[in-house]
Amino acid sequence: MTTKDIEKDTGKSSKPAPLLFSSRLAIFLLFLTGTTQFLLQRFNINFALVCMVKNPTTLGQLGTNETNITGSLDVLNIAEVEIIPSVLNLSLPFEAEDNPDYYECKKSIRVSANGSLTREGEFEWSKDVQGAILGSFFYGFVFTQIPGGWISDRFGGKIALLVTSIIFSVITMLHPLFARFGPEYLFGLRVIQGLSHGLTLPCINVISVRWSGPTERGFLMGIAYGGFSVGAVLTFPLCALICEKLGWPFIFYITGGIGVIWCVAVYFFLFDTPEDHPRISAEELEFLQKNRAVDQSSSKQKLKVPWMKIFLSVPVNALHAAHFCTLWGFQTLSMYLPSFMKEVLFMDVSTNGLVSSLPYVGMLVLHVGVGRFFDTVRAKNLCSITTLRKIFNTFGTFLPGISLLSVYFLTCRQYLGGIFAIAIGQAFIEFAMMGGYLFSVFELAPRFAGILTGIMNTYGVLTGLLCPIAVSYLTPNGTREEWLVVFYVAAGIVMVGCVVYLFFGSSELQEWAKPPAGPRETELKMVASH
């Protein structure tokens, strides 16, 4: 056997099959809509609570001469009602007497006869209860990440993705019913929803690694995960619009219905491997067979997982640390920016929904472009893949961490400048996601991509469990100063993740992740050595 024969058997295609109108592009566009609706259903509760829950703020002991409050729920009219700041005891951006925005911020607040300031809402749930509801999803989600990755690697992703997505969507539509039973029922429902959702991302990664070549993987995965940016941009304005026009229950009915429709599309148009696709071209099939990270035959073999080596691997643990720290900042912003706008800036629902979505607009703008840019730089071989990912990851975590400090500049009237600074900084998180740590699982251990994704997501899910606990502890009174500490802590945690990956991260194929050499591979290596 000659070297030319070896190259013919093992060489990579230098010219990829056309991507436009290809089967693999259709697969990744399907993933794009999938991750969009996943985020809609995961984040809808973050804003729905703004509409569902009353937000009472104690006025203190008020006399009728001081306040002239009537028994009806009339909008507070500052021209008729004179209330001194010390009596209000409200969380304010600055001291009331020094803050010209103070009275303007109160126009959307209602006064009840018992001396409470409140917004429209059906439930009277404390901050601890709301935090428990926000975190409940992750109590279920955390337990199915690793099993989900193993099941996806062992049996294929389509069936697992389809079944769990249907369950996930139906449970979303049951939220209003269980909320009216009581917060403990809603808590339990969301735990079950988290359990059902644990397979989705490992499934997507397992299928993706068989549907993409190395020089286009960043771009295609950018498309697949673009739904997180699209969903983040759409969720808050969409939920605000639905809340105002139809009522908060329809937030869950509509987003859950979108999920069911997506499941129908998955049934007809998603295939685990290119070999299963009935309409793929011969050219595209050949390209994928030569260039994908995991071949079809290996997916049929019994997978022996080196669990101990995985858990003791320094690069793998650096990957997990980066994921945990990056998601802590993301979770803090996505979960609690609407609450900050409500409790500190007293924004109305529609403005809150629009403003809370702005930090994700920049992410959406950069999302696919960063993946393509990473692929272009990688193809030039200017540096090692490890160095390249560390460069991208540093930009993608340090700048978003710094941007969280911009919350300090958000005031009642002057909030656009601060939100703009946050949006610019958060946009760079795409460098970490599309070119940094996130997709290094495909280089570290492509055979165990689903399992590594499951473990990584387990660490990420912990942020959803711990963040509400931390926020409830840090904001007992909901004052501006307390909320600022929340965002400062998040910024510091993001920085830690940046440093850990910079020093300990890697994208080199690990020894324990290399496939066992079969007879054909042994022959090729022996000939190549001569």
Side-chain angles (χ1 to χ4, degrees), residues 85-288:
S86 60
V87 175
L88 278 168
N89 190 29
L90 296 172
S91 57
L92 299 174
F94 303 100
E95 292 298 328
E97 59 267 25
D98 299 327
N99 179 20
D101 301 325
Y102 170 71
Y103 293 120
E104 185 68 25
C105 292
K106 304 299 173 289
K107 288 185 177 180
S108 64
I109 301 176
R110 296 179 178 273
V111 181
S112 64
N114 63 4
S116 294
L117 294 181
T118 182
R119 292 175 184 267
E120 300 293 345
E122 184 173 339
F123 307 107
E124 295 184 359
W125 292 341
S126 68
K127 184 171 293 185
D128 289 339
V129 170
Q130 294 180 58
I133 291 173
L134 286 173
S136 58
F137 174 90
F138 300 97
Y139 284 98
F141 197 50
V142 70
F143 289 109
T144 49
Q145 291 301 299
I146 298 176
W150 181 84
I151 291 172
S152 302
D153 280 326
R154 181 67 180 85
F155 300 104
K158 177 178 178 178
I159 295 300
L161 182 63
L162 182 61
V163 172
T164 55
S165 296
I166 291 174
I167 296 173
F168 183 65
S169 301
V170 171
I171 289 178
T172 295
M173 293 188 284
L174 292 176
H175 273 50
L177 176 64
F178 279 69
R180 285 166 176 155
F181 286 157
E184 64 276 12
Y185 292 94
L186 182 59
F187 180 95
L189 183 71
R190 286 185 57 77
V191 170
I192 298 173
Q193 187 180 41
L195 286 169
S196 70
H197 195 45
L199 292 175
T200 53
L201 293 184
C203 289
I204 288 177
N205 274 8
V206 167
I207 297 173
S208 297
V209 79
R210 294 177 172 89
W211 274 97
S212 60
T215 59
E216 63 182 10
R217 187 171 296 127
F219 175 69
L220 290 175
M221 293 303 293
I223 293 176
Y225 281 79
F228 292 122
S229 299
V230 175
V233 171
L234 293 179
T235 298
F236 294 145
L238 178 63
C239 289
L241 178 64
I242 295 172
C243 176
E244 288 198 327
K245 301 299 182 182
L246 300 174
W248 67 264
F250 283 89
I251 292 175
F252 301 103
Y253 299 149
I254 292 175
T255 55
I258 292 172
V260 171
I261 294 172
W262 183 78
C263 290
V264 175
V266 166
Y267 179 80
F268 287 104
F269 301 112
L270 182 62
F271 301 92
D272 280 309
T273 67
E275 288 81 1
D276 297 329
H277 201 299
R279 296 176 295 276
I280 190 171
S281 68
E283 180 186 13
E284 185 176 12
L285 178 60
E286 180 183 6
F287 166 73
L288 289 172

Side-chain angles (χ1 to χ4, degrees), residues 187-405:
F187 180 95
L189 183 71
R190 286 185 57 77
V191 170
I192 298 173
Q193 187 180 41
L195 286 169
S196 70
H197 195 45
L199 292 175
T200 53
L201 293 184
C203 289
I204 288 177
N205 274 8
V206 167
I207 297 173
S208 297
V209 79
R210 294 177 172 89
W211 274 97
S212 60
T215 59
E216 63 182 10
R217 187 171 296 127
F219 175 69
L220 290 175
M221 293 303 293
I223 293 176
Y225 281 79
F228 292 122
S229 299
V230 175
V233 171
L234 293 179
T235 298
F236 294 145
L238 178 63
C239 289
L241 178 64
I242 295 172
C243 176
E244 288 198 327
K245 301 299 182 182
L246 300 174
W248 67 264
F250 283 89
I251 292 175
F252 301 103
Y253 299 149
I254 292 175
T255 55
I258 292 172
V260 171
I261 294 172
W262 183 78
C263 290
V264 175
V266 166
Y267 179 80
F268 287 104
F269 301 112
L270 182 62
F271 301 92
D272 280 309
T273 67
E275 288 81 1
D276 297 329
H277 201 299
R279 296 176 295 276
I280 190 171
S281 68
E283 180 186 13
E284 185 176 12
L285 178 60
E286 180 183 6
F287 166 73
L288 289 172
Q289 288 175 333
K290 288 185 176 181
N291 290 276
R292 59 191 173 190
V294 177
D295 62 28
Q296 174 70 357
S297 60
S298 67
S299 66
K300 301 300 184 181
Q301 298 172 356
K302 184 176 181 180
L303 194 66
K304 295 182 180 180
V305 182
W307 292 106
M308 187 60 66
K309 292 181 179 179
I310 288 176
F311 284 111
L312 294 179
S313 170
V314 173
V316 169
N317 284 307
L319 169 70
H320 299 330
H323 192 57
F324 176 89
C325 295
T326 302
L327 281 193
W328 186 283
F330 185 81
Q331 294 280 24
T332 300
L333 202 64
S334 63
M335 281 184 173
Y336 290 105
L337 187 60
S339 297
F340 177 82
M341 299 292 188
K342 176 183 179 180
E343 293 188 13
V344 175
L345 305 189
F346 303 98
M347 280 189 181
D348 60 83
V349 171
S350 59
T351 304
N352 193 338
L354 180 61
V355 172
S356 296
S357 71
L358 292 180
Y360 308 102
V361 174
M363 293 173 59
L364 179 60
V365 171
L366 289 184
H367 185 81
V368 177
V370 170
R372 174 61 78 182
F373 177 57
F374 177 83
D375 287 338
T376 301
V377 177
R378 179 177 181 174
K380 294 181 182 296
N381 294 317
L382 300 176
C383 59
S384 69
I385 183 63
T386 295
T387 300
L388 186 60
R389 288 207 180 276
K390 287 184 176 182
I391 292 172
F392 271 69
N393 194 75
T394 301
F395 277 102
T397 50
F398 182 78
L399 293 177
I402 290 292
S403 74
L404 289 172
L405 304 178

